Amino acid sequence: MVAFVRLRAPLALAGAAVLVLVGPPLLTTGSGNETGTQIPGLRFMVPNTPGGGYDITARTAAKNAEDAELTHNIEVFNLPGAGGTVGLTRLVSEHGNGKLAMSMGLGVVGAVRSNDAPKTLADTTPIARLTEEQDVVVVAKDSPYKTIDDLIGAWKENPGKLPVGGGSSPGGPDHLAPMLMARAAGIAPKDVNYVPFDGGGELLASILGNKVAFGVSGVGEYLDQIKAGELRLLAVTGPERVDGLDAPTLKEAGYDVNFTNWRGIVAPPGLSDSERDKLTRLIEKLHDSPEWQKSMKQNGWDDAFLTGDKFGDFLVAQDKRVVSVLKELGL
């Protein structure tokens, strides 16, 4: 079984605009000058729609960095399309731009493969892996499925008539998790009716509107809706239950699945050593800040911090794993 190494913030989805400045300008330069982390004009690109995991991660990181006075006026903007590969192509085209970074994760790794993208993560400058998290299996509050066994029982009877929605392209985490679920339940992955959405924000409306039978996404993306009772949580995909949530792991429920997702940050190619080091230093200081540590706890994110060449090696390994699992599942 392959375990992949997935993200939320207490930000209302409606507050995520297509192009926003996260937080007010600081009145002073603060500790950023002292720590060498000030990057005037820094922009974070989100390669999918507002409200998804990449979006929440980028906006949380930007706000926390500003609150910790590491830098100021970070602009966060969305450039969705093709599972994140539209944003990736834009990032790679910004050769040498030390004031741009992109929020990304396993979904982009898979989308590069499924879309046969012209640019890959090997064309970027790896900065850091930030977090990992479990996926959740959720249905609308009025769904007939009360338990994970209810859902899988109906799914096995006619896989094609129970569409499952995910916030990633084929090969991404929200696709791989239900495919692994299907195999564990005795359903041929090729028979699964998977409906891809460009991020968890887009997926949410279809789950709430019963346009898909169930959805699979990151715990952090839907924690608010689960706690508010808008979504019914049936199971989590990782090795342990999530604190504060009343749902079994898939393995605990009798389905041999152990799956987690991760998210990180990459930058354009061609950065000078000083530009790469300053951006890495900013993310290192962010990681160590009380603000970020608090956000990780609130969002149900696990710390998975990894920087530089080690993160680059991890990206290469993840690409190989995606290819391997897709072949293993016959997809």
Side-chain angles (χ1 to χ4, degrees):
M1 182 57 55
V2 179
F4 285 88
V5 187
R6 195 171 192 211
L7 312 176
R8 167 201 107 131
L11 301 176
L13 297 184
V18 173
L19 181 61
V20 300
L21 293 179
V22 179
L26 296 174
L27 297 179
T28 67
T29 55
S31 59
N33 279 346
E34 299 167 14
T35 58
T37 58
Q38 287 284 341
I39 306 178
L42 178 61
R43 307 175 79 208
F44 282 171
M45 182 197 302
V46 177
N48 62 10
T49 53
Y54 300 151
D55 187 70
I56 293 169
T57 303
R59 295 178 192 280
T60 301
K63 186 177 188 305
N64 288 171
E66 291 192 356
D67 288 347
E69 299 190 3
L70 298 174
T71 191
H72 64 282
N73 287 0
I74 303 175
E75 181 184 336
V76 182
F77 69 101
N78 298 76
L79 186 62
T85 57
V86 170
L88 175 62
T89 300
R90 162 73 179 276
L91 186 82
V92 173
S93 74
E94 296 274 348
H95 189 278
N97 184 352
K99 297 179 183 294
L100 180 64
M102 187 178 83
S103 174
M104 50 72 70
L106 178 58
V108 176
V109 178
V112 166
R113 285 291 176 179
S114 62
N115 293 319
D116 195 21
K119 302 297 180 182
T120 75
L121 289 165
D123 297 312
T124 70
T125 299
I127 300 299
R129 185 184 69 192
L130 291 174
T131 60
E132 62 179 352
E133 70 170 350
Q134 302 196 41
D135 265 4
V136 291
V137 182
V138 292
V139 295
K141 63 182 179 181
D142 57 351
S143 168
Y145 310 117
K146 308 295 185 184
T147 68
I148 188 65
D149 285 332
D150 289 344
L151 172 64
I152 290 184
W155 200 21
K156 289 175 72 171
E157 286 183 12
N158 198 330
K161 286 193 174 180
L162 264 71
V164 50
S168 61
S169 297
D174 298 349
H175 171 250
L176 293 176
M179 295 302 166
L180 293 170
M181 280 175 56
R183 185 179 67 175
I187 300 169
K190 63 182 178 56
D191 292 336
V192 173
N193 181 6
Y194 177 74
V195 183
F197 294 84
D198 204 353
E202 280 194 359
L203 170 62
L204 179 61
S206 287
I207 300 173
L208 294 175
N210 291 303
K211 295 185 178 176
V212 293
F214 65 105
V216 177
S217 194
V219 60
E221 293 176 67
Y222 292 158
L223 195 54
D224 284 341
Q225 289 77 19
I226 291 168
K227 289 184 174 180
E230 296 173 7
L231 293 175
R232 180 183 300 144
L233 175 61
L234 301 184
V236 297
T237 66
E240 298 178 352
R241 290 192 176 210
V242 175
D243 288 344
L245 296 180
D246 184 20
T249 67
L250 286 169
K251 198 157 191 175
E252 182 183 346
Y255 306 99
D256 190 15
V257 176
N258 179 6
F259 181 92
T260 54
N261 184 29
W262 58 270
R263 291 193 178 92
I265 295 175
V266 294
L271 301 192
S272 67
D273 290 346
S274 63
E275 288 173 324
R276 182 198 62 214
D277 291 348
K278 177 170 270 195
L279 187 53
T280 301
R281 188 160 56 246
L282 169 63
I283 301 304
E284 288 174 339
K285 294 295 183 182
L286 168 69
H287 168 262
D288 294 340
S289 71
E291 291 84 355
W292 179 254
Q293 294 298 318
K294 181 179 179 180
S295 290
M296 284 200 298
K297 185 175 181 180
Q298 288 176 333
N299 296 322
W301 301 340
D302 293 324
D303 195 353
F305 197 61
L306 193 66
T307 61
D309 291 341
K310 290 183 178 179
F311 179 41
D313 293 341
F314 171 79
L315 291 177
V316 172
Q318 287 290 283
D319 180 60
K320 291 178 180 178
R321 283 186 169 185
V322 166
V323 173
S324 174
V325 172
L326 289 174
K327 287 181 179 178
E328 181 185 339
L329 293 173
L331 301 171

